[in-house]
């Protein structure tokens, strides 16, 4: 690049490159200059070249037509490796630039090093005023440009500003780290994928107020996924300066306006929307203005993120975050008083502290329509309930503001006119509620009653269908994050917790939530509740949750956490009894106490047995497959009693009888279980039923049937139905004679679930078995089987 040519001192580079054609882009020429060069630098934007010749600095202007022009010369201290406003100084000890012949001029050979970064543009958005815009780049940086200017107002990343200017201190630190053998490579950032600049009609100034910028991307590789929102100052420029005749070299944008634009990019606040998966896209929901690309005055944000497998998740949050609306200048300042009571001041400070702790500036999670529930916030399972009128009115009476519902509205809907005849009878149908549990540890209740559709033209539908009960939403996170609960149980990371299933007690209005980790949580419909004190119980497996506050209809009451792993089966009654089976263990709990009535542990080497060769032996433990509460007789016990029937995989089943003890502190006692064999193998979960042989209705453990236990009236036999993957069995009075059986062949496929279909008019019931081939088969009336045997 530099080689000895002559001992003469040339103050002008034109001594070698004399012709104008020599400076045109094309074949590159050798630049001959003095060999005692110690450092040089190039500034490509302004076209300046600096050469240090034994502490004498020469500045050359390369923009002159034809030949470079010597702009200035001055004595300078010994130049070392230094960054300063875009100048890069090569150290004196760099051997690659000394006394070596090159075939290209310096400013061509090091064009990647001596030019400004030119990363690929990946996103762009315009300021609400339209005077400047933001650009996102592939290297994760953001540049803000004025419309009529060719230099950026500001270049920044999510956590640093003026990244286009070199930081001398940071560069020295990197050099020191390199000398010490430490890594000096900067953190890699992901590209800026999408930008949205929003304005709001909340300013008295017609030019607008504070703005928010939503940024998707730009994070360091490896950081938690999410979306960043930044709040900027208002752009309120002063009076325009006096117009002057333009002069050569004068910038198109006046310095005063440029500085005002720069000041409006001051960050007032920021917020990060955390998500469980990587965000693929987002959408701002405007209040009532579809213009400005739908970003003006948004009230909600939809986040589309990666879920498990190939699914995508959709989550909705309040936007902008509530913290952005806080203004320190608007907060009231307490008036000064002459005398202050220390005790009163301490009490006021304590009350104010509690109030601040209760306030939460995080954006609220919004409930999206049922059709959009997928992924982390999507449905894991559900239960459709048929309710009595009084129970339905109790649930529907809970009211809450619609602020938790994603405001997506449009158009009108009417019922199908061709189904008008069916709609006339809809009012006679029972009310139905759909209970769903989701990946985000929430449980939702929605009204699926046909009565919501009883409208005809010209009157449109008045409510959403299904209609969400917002006040009945159950959120498990306050329980799982409670310090007292974590001190009584083994803490489990939130990422490893999922809802396994939920059962709703119709009469008791209780929800039993079973987690995949084995914990069972009981919620009761009691309305909002203030924080309380901890309550200890004798049973170490039980944790009372009455101290946890609740702001909705359901409140946490009790947790069963024996730390024995996932549950195998469980059963819920309407009289306050709960049964949960774990591996080789069974718990019966009186939730009204609360009190554990029975702890049954089997030996680890206990294996299933077979009787008379009817049931083959199994090599593993005989796990619990299904459990059901009922009030029924037994073959040798004609009294109506509360029974728990525990069915195992081998077909063996046990009957636990609960007897009232008459004690106020412990009203129930558990009798010795009775074991029977001969049932169906591989019973389905929730595949056992006890039905009344006269009416065909299920003999559930509820208050109505419990009142009949001591009445002394006529006893009606019951039928125990056990459904498995390959067949079904019916027994009289649970452990009596086998009444009938059925087997389904391989063509039916694997049976997944079974339900009892009650026909009230006919006074009978039928078993419906759902197979994997998406078909359901009805099997004959249960009541007829007992009557045929006399």
């Amino acid at each position: 690049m530099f080689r000895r040519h002559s001992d003469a001192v040339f103050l002008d580079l034109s001594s070698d490159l004399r012709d104008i054609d020599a400076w045109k882009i094309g074949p590159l020429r050798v630049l001959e200059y003095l060999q005692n060069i110690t450092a040089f630098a190039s500034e490509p934007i302004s076209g300046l070249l600096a050469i240090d010749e034994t502490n004498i600095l020469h500045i050359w202007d390369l923009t002159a037509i034809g030949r470079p022009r010597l702009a200035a010369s001055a004595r300078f201290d010994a130049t070392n490796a230094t960054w300063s406003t875009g100048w890069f100084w090569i150290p004196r000890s760099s051997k690659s630039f000394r006394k070596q012949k090159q075939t290209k001029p310096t400013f061509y050979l090091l064009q990647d090093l001596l030019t400004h970064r030119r990363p690929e543009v990946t996103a762009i958005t315009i300021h609400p005023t339209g005077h400047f815009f933001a650009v996102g780049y592939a290297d994760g940086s953001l540049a803000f440009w004025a419309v009529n200017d060719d230099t950026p107002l500001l270049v920044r990343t999510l956590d640093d500003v003026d990244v286009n200017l070199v930081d001398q201190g940071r560069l020295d630190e990197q050099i020191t780290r390199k000398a010490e053998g430490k890594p000096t490579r900067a953190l890699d950032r992901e590209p800026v994928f999408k930008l949205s600049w929003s304005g709001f009609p909340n300013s008295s100034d017609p030019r607008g107020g504070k703005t928010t910028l939503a940024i998707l991307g730009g994070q360091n590789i490896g950081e938690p996924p999410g979306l960043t929102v930044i709040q900027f100052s208002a752009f309120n420029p002063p009076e325009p300066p006096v117009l002057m005749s333009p002069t050569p070299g004068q910038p198109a944008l006046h310095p005063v306006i440029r500085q005002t634009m720069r000041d409006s990019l001051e960050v007032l606040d920021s917020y990060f929307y955390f998500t469980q998966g990587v965000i693929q896209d987002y959408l701002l929901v405007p209040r009532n203005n579809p213009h400005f690309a739908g970003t003006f005055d948004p009230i909600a944000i939809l986040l589309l993120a990666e879920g498990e497998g190939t699914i995508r998740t959709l989550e909705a949050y309040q936007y902008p975050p509530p913290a952005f609306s806080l203004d320190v200048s608007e907060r009231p300042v307490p008036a000064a008083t002459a005398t202050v009571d220390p005790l009163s001041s301490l009490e006021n400070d304590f009350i104010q502290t509690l109030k601040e702790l209760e306030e939460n500036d995080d954006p609220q999670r919004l409930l999206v329509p049922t059709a959009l529930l997928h992924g982390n916030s999507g449905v894991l399972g559900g239960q459709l309930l048929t309710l009595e009128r009084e129970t339905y009115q109790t649930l529907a009476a809970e009211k809450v503001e619609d602020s938790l519902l994603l405001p997506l509205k449009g158009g009108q809907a009417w019922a199908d006119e061709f189904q008008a005849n069916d709609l006339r009878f809809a009012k006679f149908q029972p009310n139905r509620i759909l209970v769903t549990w989701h990946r985000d540890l929430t449980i939702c209740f929605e009204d699926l009653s046909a009565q919501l559709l009883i409208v005809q033209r010209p009157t449109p539908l008045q409510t959403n269908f299904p209609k969400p009960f917002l006040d009945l939403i159950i959120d498990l996170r306050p329980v799982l994050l409670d310090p007292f609960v974590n001190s009584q149980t083994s803490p489990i990371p939130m990422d490893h917790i999922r809802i396994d299933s939920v059962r709703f007690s119709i009469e008791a209005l209780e929800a039993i939530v079973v987690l995949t980790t084995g914990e069972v949580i009981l919620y009761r419909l009691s309305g909002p509740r203030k924080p309380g004190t901890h309550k200890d119980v004798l049973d170490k497996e039980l944790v009372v949750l009455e101290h946890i506050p609740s702001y909705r209809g359901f409140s946490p009451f009790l947790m069963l956490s024996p730390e024995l792993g996932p549950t195998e089966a469980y059963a819920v009654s309407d009289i306050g009894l709960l049964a949960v089976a774990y591996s080789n263990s069974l718990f019966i709990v009186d939730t009204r106490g609360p009190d554990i009535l029975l702890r049954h542990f089997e030996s680890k080497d206990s294996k299933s047995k077979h009787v008379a060769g009817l049931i083959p032996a199994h090599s593993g433990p005989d796990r619990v497959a299904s459990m059901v509460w009922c009030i029924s007789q037994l073959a040798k016990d004609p009294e109506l009693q509360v029974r728990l029937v525990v069915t195992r995989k081998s077909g063996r089943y046990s009957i636990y009888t609960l007897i009232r003890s008459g004690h106020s502190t412990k009203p129930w006692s558990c009798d010795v279980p009775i074991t029977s064999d001969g049932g169906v193998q591989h019973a389905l979960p929730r595949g056992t039923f006890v039905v009344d042989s006269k009416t065909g209705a299920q003999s559930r453990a509820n208050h109505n049937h419990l009142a009949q236990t001591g009445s002394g009236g006529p006893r009606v036999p019951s039928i125990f139905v056990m459904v498995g993957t390959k067949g079904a069995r019916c027994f009289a009075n649970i452990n009596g004679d086998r009444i009938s059986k059925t087997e389904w062949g391989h063509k039916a496929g694997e049976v997944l679930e079974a339900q009892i279909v009650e026909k009230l008019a006919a006074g009978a019931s039928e078993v419906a078995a759902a197979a994997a081939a998406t078909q359901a088969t009805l099997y004959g009336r249960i009541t007829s089987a007992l009557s045929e045997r006399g």
Side-chain angles (χ1 to χ4, degrees):
M1 153 177 27
F2 300 110
R3 57 188 174 91
R4 183 180 181 86
H5 176 71
S6 172
D7 292 334
V9 178
F10 299 102
L11 296 180
D12 197 325
L13 293 178
S14 62
S15 60
D16 183 67
L17 303 179
R18 301 179 178 85
D19 300 329
I20 297 178
D21 294 337
W23 290 94
K24 293 182 179 180
I25 298 177
L28 302 179
R29 300 287 301 278
V30 175
L31 176 64
E32 299 190 11
Y33 200 71
L34 298 178
Q35 67 177 8
N36 57 348
I37 294 177
T38 57
F40 67 94
S42 174
E43 214 295 320
I45 299 300
S46 59
L48 298 178
L49 174 66
I51 296 179
D52 182 37
E53 175 191 348
T54 316
N55 300 336
I56 299 177
L57 183 65
H58 301 289
I59 306 297
W60 301 88
D61 184 5
L62 304 181
T63 61
I65 299 178
R67 298 179 179 86
R69 181 178 61 86
L70 181 63
S73 296
R75 290 190 176 275
F76 202 77
D77 294 336
T79 309
N80 202 345
T82 305
W83 278 92
S84 177
T85 319
W87 292 67
F88 186 79
W89 301 99
I90 303 299
R92 179 180 293 106
S93 60
S94 179
K95 297 181 179 179
S96 60
F97 302 108
R98 297 179 60 192
K99 300 181 181 179
Q100 295 189 9
K101 296 181 180 181
Q102 303 289 339
T103 60
K104 298 181 181 180
T106 303
F107 42 86
Y108 282 104
L109 179 65
L110 301 178
Q111 57 181 345
D112 294 336
L113 180 66
L114 300 179
T115 57
H116 281 280
R117 300 177 304 107
R118 298 182 184 274
E120 180 183 356
V121 175
T122 56
I124 188 171
T125 183
I126 302 176
H127 188 273
T129 61
H131 295 295
F132 50 102
F133 56 94
V135 179
Y137 296 95
D139 62 349
S141 62
L142 291 168
F144 299 87
W145 301 78
V147 174
N148 53 348
D149 198 4
D150 56 358
T151 57
L153 301 170
L154 175 68
V155 182
R156 64 166 301 148
T157 59
L158 293 181
D159 49 13
D160 201 359
V161 296
D162 293 329
V163 295
N164 57 326
L165 306 180
V166 180
D167 189 338
Q168 175 67 40
R170 187 174 300 179
L171 181 62
D172 293 340
E173 180 184 356
Q174 294 292 331
I175 295 175
T176 304
R177 293 178 62 88
K178 183 177 182 180
E180 297 175 354
K182 299 180 180 180
T184 59
R185 184 171 180 267
L187 295 176
D188 291 334
R189 292 183 179 272
E190 60 184 8
V192 177
F193 300 107
K194 188 175 181 180
L195 298 171
S196 298
W197 212 334
S198 302
F200 304 89
N202 56 357
S203 174
S204 57
D205 195 314
R207 291 168 293 187
K210 302 174 183 177
T211 62
T212 62
L213 180 63
I215 307 170
L216 177 58
Q219 299 176 243
N220 293 325
I221 302 298
E223 291 183 344
L227 181 137
T228 306
V229 182
I230 299 177
Q231 185 184 37
F232 291 124
S233 303
F235 173 57
N236 295 326
E239 294 294 332
V242 180
L243 295 178
M244 300 177 60
S245 59
T247 59
Q250 181 180 0
L253 184 64
H254 197 279
V256 175
I257 302 299
R258 179 182 177 86
Q259 184 60 39
T260 305
M261 291 182 176
R262 168 84 184 209
D263 295 340
S264 68
L265 299 177
E266 178 187 359
V267 176
L268 300 179
D269 205 345
S270 63
Y271 185 83
F272 189 75
Y273 286 88
F274 285 97
T275 56
Q276 297 184 9
V278 178
I279 297 180
Q280 297 294 330
D281 199 359
Y282 70 89
L283 177 66
L284 296 179
V285 181
R287 186 184 306 274
N288 51 21
N289 193 335
H291 305 290
F292 303 100
T295 62
F296 182 76
D297 193 19
I299 56 177
I301 183 170
L302 294 175
L303 302 178
L304 180 66
E306 293 181 354
E308 297 182 2
T310 59
I311 63 176
R312 293 292 182 264
T313 72
L314 187 65
E315 303 177 13
Y317 292 92
Q318 181 184 5
Y319 188 92
F324 283 10
S325 62
L326 298 179
D327 191 352
V328 178
S329 62
E330 297 176 357
R331 294 179 180 176
V333 179
T337 56
T339 58
V340 178
D341 185 5
L343 295 179
S344 177
S345 177
L346 181 61
E347 181 181 359
N348 293 334
D349 292 343
F350 180 72
I351 295 175
Q352 181 65 22
T353 302
L354 292 179
K355 183 178 180 180
E356 292 178 356
L357 291 176
E358 292 178 358
E359 294 179 352
N360 190 355
D361 293 336
D362 292 335
Q364 291 183 343
R365 180 73 175 271
L366 303 179
L367 183 64
V368 300
T370 306
L372 301 179
L373 292 178
H374 294 289
N376 293 335
S377 59
V379 177
L380 291 175
Q383 181 185 14
L384 184 61
L385 305 175
T386 301
L387 306 180
E388 298 292 338
R389 184 175 182 84
E390 295 182 358
T391 304
Y392 171 80
Q393 292 178 349
T394 301
L395 295 177
E398 302 293 336
K399 300 295 183 182
V400 72
E401 297 181 1
D402 292 339
S403 58
L404 295 179
L405 186 63
L406 180 65
L408 291 180
K409 298 180 181 179
Q412 296 179 336
W414 291 268
D416 190 353
E417 297 179 356
F418 297 99
Q419 305 294 331
N421 294 330
D422 296 337
L423 291 177
R424 296 190 183 98
F425 299 99
K427 61 181 180 180
F428 301 106
Q429 296 185 15
N431 297 103
R432 294 177 174 85
I433 297 294
L434 178 64
V435 184
T436 57
W437 48 96
H438 306 255
R439 294 182 184 272
D440 59 349
L441 301 178
T442 59
I443 303 168
C444 298
F445 294 78
E446 295 178 296
D447 191 355
L448 279 177
S449 301
Q451 289 81 352
L452 298 178
L453 303 176
I454 306 178
V455 292
Q456 293 183 2
R457 289 180 182 270
T459 304
L461 293 178
Q462 302 300 313
T463 61
N464 295 324
F465 187 84
K467 177 184 177 181
F469 290 147
L470 301 180
D471 196 44
L472 301 182
I473 297 176
I474 299 176
D475 190 352
L476 300 184
R477 285 171 291 187
V479 173
L480 300 177
L481 297 176
D482 183 73
F484 177 75
V485 174
N486 291 328
S487 66
Q488 301 296 315
T489 60
S490 298
I492 302 174
M494 295 292 291
D495 296 340
H496 297 83
I497 299 178
R498 287 287 187 273
I499 299 177
D500 182 71
S501 60
V502 177
R503 286 294 171 267
F504 184 72
S505 179
I506 296 178
E507 293 187 6
L509 297 179
E510 296 176 344
I512 305 297
V513 184
V514 179
L515 306 181
T516 54
T517 52
E519 289 79 10
V520 181
I521 306 177
L522 171 66
Y523 284 82
R524 287 179 179 171
L525 185 65
S526 58
R529 186 177 64 191
K530 296 182 179 180
T533 57
H534 308 300
K535 180 180 179 181
D536 297 327
V537 292
L538 298 177
D539 300 310
K540 63 179 182 179
E541 298 89 350
L542 298 180
V543 180
V544 179
L545 307 176
E546 293 181 342
H547 65 281
I548 300 178
S550 176
Y551 304 99
R552 296 176 180 170
F554 282 96
S555 302
F557 175 72
L558 182 67
M559 171 188 282
L560 173 63
S561 179
E563 300 182 4
L564 296 175
T567 62
E568 292 183 350
Y570 68 101
V572 184
S573 71
D574 286 312
I575 55 177
L577 297 176
L578 171 67
V580 183
Y582 297 90
S583 178
N584 300 319
S585 60
L586 174 66
F587 289 83
I588 299 179
V589 182
D590 178 14
T591 61
R592 299 293 187 266
D595 184 26
I596 295 181
L597 303 178
L598 174 68
R599 297 182 185 86
H600 176 69
F601 296 93
E602 294 186 358
S603 58
K604 295 184 178 180
D605 56 350
S606 176
K607 299 181 180 180
S608 58
K609 302 178 181 180
H610 65 282
V611 178
L614 297 178
I615 301 177
H618 296 268
S619 58
D622 197 7
R623 300 182 179 276
V624 176
S626 177
M627 295 193 298
V628 60
W629 286 102
C630 65
I631 295 181
S632 172
Q633 309 174 56
L634 296 181
K636 297 182 179 180
D637 184 6
E639 295 296 328
L640 292 176
Q641 297 289 352
V642 179
R643 322 278 186 181
L644 173 66
V645 184
V646 180
T647 305
R648 300 185 177 272
K649 287 289 186 180
S650 63
R652 180 171 58 95
Y653 58 97
S654 302
I655 305 170
Y656 294 83
T657 301
L658 274 72
I659 304 174
R660 292 183 178 181
S661 61
H663 299 285
S664 58
T665 57
K666 202 167 186 177
W668 295 98
S669 62
C670 187
D671 203 354
V672 178
I674 301 174
T675 303
S676 298
D677 294 282
V680 67
Q681 296 184 52
H682 304 292
L684 297 175
R686 301 182 301 276
T688 53
F689 314 91
V690 179
V691 299
D692 190 304
S693 61
K694 182 177 180 181
T695 62
Q698 297 188 49
S699 301
R700 296 186 175 92
N702 53 29
H703 293 282
N704 185 25
H705 292 156
L706 183 63
Q708 300 176 7
T709 56
S711 61
R715 300 292 186 256
V716 178
S718 62
I719 301 176
F720 177 50
V721 182
M722 184 187 302
V723 183
T725 57
K726 297 301 180 181
R729 304 287 188 273
C730 294
F731 299 90
N733 289 329
I734 302 181
N735 61 342
D737 296 336
R738 188 180 70 186
I739 301 174
S740 62
K741 70 173 184 177
T742 184
E743 305 289 345
W744 31 77
H746 298 284
K747 294 183 179 181
E750 182 182 0
V751 176
L752 303 178
E753 189 173 356
Q755 293 289 340
I756 293 292
V757 180
E758 300 180 4
K759 295 185 177 182
L760 300 179
S765 299
E766 295 178 342
V767 178
T774 65
Q775 62 181 0
T777 306
L778 291 178
Y779 290 86
R781 293 184 177 179
I782 297 174
T783 54
S784 62
L786 186 61
S787 61
E788 290 176 357
R789 295 182 59 88

